Amino acid sequence: MAGIRTTLHIGGEKTGTTSIQSFLSSNRSVLRESGILFPTSLGSANHELLAIFASPTAGTEDLKALLGLNSGHALDSLRSSLPSTLLREVSESGCSEVVISNEHCSSRLTEETAVQRVRQILETFSTATRIMIYLRRQDELLLSAYSTSVKAGETRPLRIPERNGLIYYDYLKILNLWAKVFGQSNIIVKIYHEDTLFRGDIIDDFIQTMGFSNLPKTLPRPQLRLNRSLDLTTLEFLRVFNSHIPPILAGRVNPGRSNIVEVLERLSGDSRSCFDSKELARFFALFTPSNSEVARRFLGRADGRLFPESKNDPGQPPPSLDLAEAIRLAAELWAYRHRNS
């Protein structure tokens, strides 16, 4: 195969990736007619199988459990068959461009050997590969990521990460890793902020950055706000709920949770910061030197400024959940279940 260009969108997490993936998957046939393949062999919308394929034994256990790949046999089968399956899909599509999207590539693949495995599978068909990533202010990411982690089963209160947990927020380390394997000239860095996104919209910005000028202007887009953050009370309710009914039980998805997260998203009000603004400022300041280096090296900004000023409201103390609020939410969940049973 000659002349196939691949764009690997590696996130980062909490930068509208769910919306991008929903847009790409719902318009897969139109994209293919335009010569752009959004593969199904790596996942229907989120290409999680790529991160699982490339990851070491640790780091993606939760993804493996959710996809039923937590047995050694299933994982070995995936790793032996995925390269040829993907190659066949690309070859049969006749497309000259391939788009792959998975945010776990930036957050879970933290070793060079894992990123090399990504390069090896892409090189079976791609003659040119570019890596695309959106970056979000670390203080905003911390709050949004905490909401997501609680929805995934976290039981601990929100806290500033320890030093060994900061790589998730250290964009310079992430970019250096991918640039070492794919070359700095092949890294596309975008800023996830309404003031910097094209037309203030993540999908418009993605389309423009990809250069998809020939796509119809009326393609359907996600109608709902996907992967929504929870308000303080609802978030605290779910955190405590997780201690009693965890999402994963004996290595399998726990059916006892049903659609608890989806229902709580519907019941939740507007989310607000649940950390003191001074604590958030101190956390963000940890990355001032590395953010400046990213701005200079990857965006050509001589002033070293990576992000606009935050528009977050001043933070609040961590949430508390009193008995009355817990009963209110439990009653709303009960009523919702009976309305929709």
Side-chain angles (χ1 to χ4, degrees):
M1 291 178 287
I4 294 181
R5 182 177 72 168
T6 299
T7 301
L8 171 57
H9 169 228
I10 62 172
E13 296 200 23
K14 307 306 295 179
T15 60
T17 54
T18 304
S19 295
I20 290 172
Q21 291 158 359
S22 178
F23 170 77
L24 293 171
S25 61
S26 62
N27 293 291
R28 183 176 268 116
S29 60
V30 178
L31 290 168
R32 187 161 177 165
E33 290 172 1
S34 299
I36 304 162
L37 175 68
F38 187 61
T40 59
S41 53
L42 297 172
S44 60
N46 189 334
H47 292 146
E48 294 170 314
L49 292 181
L50 179 62
I52 293 174
F53 170 86
S55 69
T57 53
T60 54
E61 289 86 352
D62 56 334
L63 302 180
K64 295 169 188 173
L66 288 171
L67 297 176
L69 295 169
N70 46 343
S71 73
H73 175 74
L75 191 57
D76 290 343
S77 177
L78 170 73
R79 286 182 167 153
S80 64
S81 64
L82 189 62
S84 59
T85 302
L86 177 59
L87 175 61
R88 182 168 57 253
E89 182 179 11
V90 173
S91 178
E92 292 175 353
S93 73
C95 293
S96 60
E97 184 145 7
V98 178
V99 179
I100 298 171
S101 177
N102 176 246
E103 66 274 21
H104 302 115
C105 286
S106 61
S107 61
R108 310 293 185 94
L109 306 184
T110 58
E111 302 293 334
E112 184 179 344
T113 52
V115 179
Q116 287 285 5
R117 286 177 67 88
V118 172
R119 180 177 177 178
Q120 289 166 8
I121 193 173
L122 298 183
E123 282 183 340
T124 61
F125 60 85
S126 183
T127 55
T129 300
R130 55 183 181 173
I131 307 300
M132 183 180 182
I133 185 170
Y134 283 88
L135 304 181
R136 184 175 187 173
R137 280 181 58 108
Q138 285 92 342
D139 49 354
E140 296 176 1
L141 175 60
L142 174 67
L143 298 173
S144 186
Y146 178 68
S147 177
T148 296
S149 69
V150 171
K151 288 193 286 185
E154 179 61 75
T155 60
R156 295 173 297 179
L158 175 63
R159 62 184 181 182
I160 295 292
E162 301 294 336
R163 181 173 296 275
N164 60 1
L166 293 180
I167 188 170
Y168 179 75
Y169 303 91
D170 192 334
Y171 300 140
L172 183 60
K173 285 188 177 180
I174 294 171
L175 291 171
N176 280 341
L177 174 63
W178 287 86
K180 184 176 181 180
V181 176
F182 286 92
Q184 183 170 319
S185 62
N186 295 315
I187 308 296
I188 301 172
V189 175
K190 301 285 293 182
I191 303 302
Y192 182 75
H193 192 280
E194 61 181 2
D195 291 346
T196 59
L197 295 175
F198 181 61
R199 295 175 180 163
D201 182 86
I202 184 62
I203 295 177
D204 282 339
D205 192 87
F206 185 83
I207 291 173
Q208 185 201 50
T209 303
M210 293 292 295
F212 292 164
S213 57
N214 60 332
L215 291 180
K217 305 299 183 184
T218 56
L219 290 180
R221 300 186 177 206
Q223 296 299 308
L224 298 176
R225 183 183 173 190
L226 302 171
N227 210 4
R228 179 183 174 186
S229 295
L230 301 176
D231 66 48
L232 295 180
T233 302
T234 308
L235 188 67
E236 184 67 1
F237 179 90
L238 181 59
R239 183 185 72 82
V240 178
F241 180 91
N242 291 339
S243 301
H244 300 278
I245 306 181
I248 304 296
L249 194 62
R252 298 181 181 276
V253 175
N254 185 355
R257 285 174 69 89
S258 185
N259 61 338
I260 178 70
V261 173
E262 176 187 338
V263 176
L264 287 176
E265 285 180 336
R266 294 176 183 272
L267 299 177
S268 176
D270 291 335
S271 61
R272 290 179 294 169
S273 170
C274 52
F275 235 30
D276 183 87
S277 56
K278 292 182 179 179
E279 286 294 313
L280 287 173
R282 281 195 288 268
F283 175 68
F284 183 64
L286 293 174
F287 306 98
T288 299
S290 60
N291 282 352
S292 296
E293 184 66 13
V294 168
R296 286 189 290 267
R297 282 184 48 201
F298 291 90
L299 292 173
R301 297 178 179 176
D303 62 2
R305 185 178 179 183
L306 186 60
F307 297 109
E309 292 298 322
S310 176
K311 294 183 178 179
N312 278 345
D313 294 331
Q316 305 180 160
S320 61
L321 183 68
D322 60 26
L323 181 60
E325 282 296 309
I327 292 175
R328 179 187 68 80
L329 277 170
E332 290 188 8
L333 286 170
W334 180 268
Y336 182 91
R337 178 173 181 177
H338 280 271
R339 286 196 305 269
N340 294 275
S341 60

